[in-house]
Amino acid sequence: LSMAVYCSAWTYFGSVGRAATGGVWFLPIYLGPMLAMILAWMLLRKMIRIARSHRITSIADFIASRYGKSQALAGLVTLITVVGLVPYIALQLKGIAVAYALMTQPAGASGAGASPWWADSTLYLALALAGFTIVFGARHLDSAERHEGMVAAIAFESVVKLLAFLAVGVFVVWGLFDGLADLFARAQAVPDLARLLTLGQGKAFAYEQWFALTILSGLSVLFLPRQFQVMVVENVDERHLKRAAWAFPLYLLLINLFVLPIALAGLLSFGPGANAEGFVLTLPLASGHPWLALLAFVGGLSAATGMVIVEAIAVSTMVCNDLVMP
């Protein structure tokens, strides 16, 4: 379950937005990790054994250990990671702030007015996450860099975001429409939406892009610092990998079951100009179910905070060990 930290706020909000513009083109982001876990679990097992025997605490240490424990290489990997992940972490905070605005603003309010920095909810969210990360990530000194409390918290939030997203999907398909057949039939009747249900969307299918996205996302589940942290560093028993080899792909399948239906329902309800990334919240709100919208918001909050916490712990370990201490 902690491996499902792969599903960040982009999974929760952004994949619906991508499905609303590109149809099934959100799928390669999840097909890659599913195939990687099913086909490359023996590679992961070897990574876990190497990390355990060399007392490796981060992806930077792992790569450096393959090249004679090169300190310069570990520092370079850390710098690349920090530059790449700071915007990614900021995106999670932005996702929560936008979702909070959708939940708290009156219907039709634009919320475009600038507010002073001390009135920005994102600042206090970042401070709260920093405190949580310190409590769960730095409670004790441990050369193994394992954080069992953090892993338990991430596993719990993975359950929360899955149940919340499934609840919204079930409500949309069987509450707002008469099932999947009715929803897809209505979408087929609208030419712009019917295009989203085809692979090529009226043009030749871009096999190269689909293949490239699948390969990149498959590599990301092996090399993203947060994935390396939960799969390799936090692993206490390599036998757990056998269960993860089918349970993680199953999780990704379940959390993506209703992405396209929610996107189509939002387009049918609000039109093509609506904010598609907010459909998970706006569909329950517009139909008079604020408690379901609140549950969806908590799910999105879980997805974003889980990613930020694990990524922050992984990157801070790399910065301390490979930049500051040397």
Side-chain angles (χ1 to χ4, degrees):
L1 284 171
S2 65
M3 285 176 59
V5 72
Y6 179 81
C7 300
S8 63
W10 192 93
T11 298
Y12 210 83
F13 301 115
S15 57
V16 174
R18 185 165 175 81
T21 56
V24 295
W25 274 90
F26 73 95
L27 283 177
I29 308 298
Y30 306 99
L31 284 175
M34 292 169 76
L35 292 172
M37 283 303 300
I38 294 169
L39 301 177
W41 68 270
M42 292 183 70
L43 173 65
L44 278 171
R45 185 176 65 182
K46 187 173 183 181
M47 290 169 65
I48 290 170
R49 289 175 178 176
I50 291 170
R52 186 164 298 158
S53 63
H54 290 271
R55 301 182 74 81
I56 285 168
T57 59
S58 68
I59 186 69
D61 287 349
F62 184 86
I63 294 174
S65 72
R66 302 289 86 195
Y67 294 90
K69 295 188 181 295
S70 169
Q71 193 65 59
L73 181 58
L76 178 62
V77 171
T78 301
L79 285 174
I80 292 171
T81 303
V82 171
V83 170
L85 288 179
V86 166
Y88 196 10
I89 291 172
L91 186 67
Q92 309 303 308
L93 300 176
K94 182 70 175 175
I96 299 174
V98 171
Y100 179 75
L102 283 173
M103 292 292 294
T104 55
Q105 287 173 0
S110 65
S115 59
W117 64 267
W118 62 83
D120 186 0
S121 60
T122 317
L123 169 65
Y124 300 101
L125 172 69
L127 292 174
L129 288 182
F132 188 90
T133 306
I134 290 168
V135 169
F136 277 86
R139 287 188 301 179
H140 54 270
L141 291 170
D142 184 359
S143 61
E145 295 288 356
R146 289 201 180 116
H147 313 89
E148 293 183 9
M150 181 267 292
V151 172
I154 299 306
F156 179 73
E157 69 86 12
S158 295
V159 175
V160 170
K161 67 189 177 190
L162 176 62
L163 293 179
F165 199 85
L166 288 176
V168 174
V170 169
F171 165 74
V172 166
V173 172
W174 286 281
L176 300 182
F177 296 87
D178 293 329
L180 286 171
D182 176 47
L183 174 58
F184 285 118
R186 294 198 199 184
Q188 285 281 10
V190 181
D192 285 343
L193 300 190
R195 175 181 57 83
L196 298 178
L197 299 176
T198 61
L199 282 176
Q201 298 183 21
K203 298 175 287 187
F205 182 64
Y207 292 99
E208 301 87 354
Q209 292 182 35
W210 187 279
F211 179 76
L213 279 172
T214 304
I215 293 295
L216 280 173
S217 57
L219 292 174
S220 72
V221 83
L222 299 176
F223 299 131
L224 277 174
R226 71 179 186 274
Q227 296 303 127
F228 188 88
Q229 182 78 25
V230 295
M231 284 195 306
V232 178
V233 178
E234 304 289 350
N235 182 274
V236 293
D237 187 346
E238 69 177 46
R239 290 177 297 181
H240 294 168
L241 194 58
K242 290 185 178 179
R243 185 183 303 129
W246 61 264
F248 180 56
L250 177 62
Y251 185 98
L252 293 181
L253 176 66
L254 290 174
I255 204 166
N256 284 287
L257 274 180
F258 293 108
V259 168
L260 190 57
I262 290 173
L264 293 174
L267 291 172
L268 285 168
S269 301
F270 304 120
N275 175 18
E277 293 183 352
F279 284 168
V280 176
L281 301 176
T282 52
L283 280 169
L285 282 174
S287 58
H289 292 80
W291 288 105
L292 181 61
L294 181 61
L295 177 64
F297 173 75
V298 170
L301 185 68
S302 295
T305 53
M307 178 274 178
V308 173
I309 289 165
V310 181
E311 208 79 88
I313 289 176
V315 173
S316 62
T317 301
M318 293 162 65
V319 170
C320 285
N321 292 355
D322 302 312
L323 292 182
V324 177
M325 291 306 293

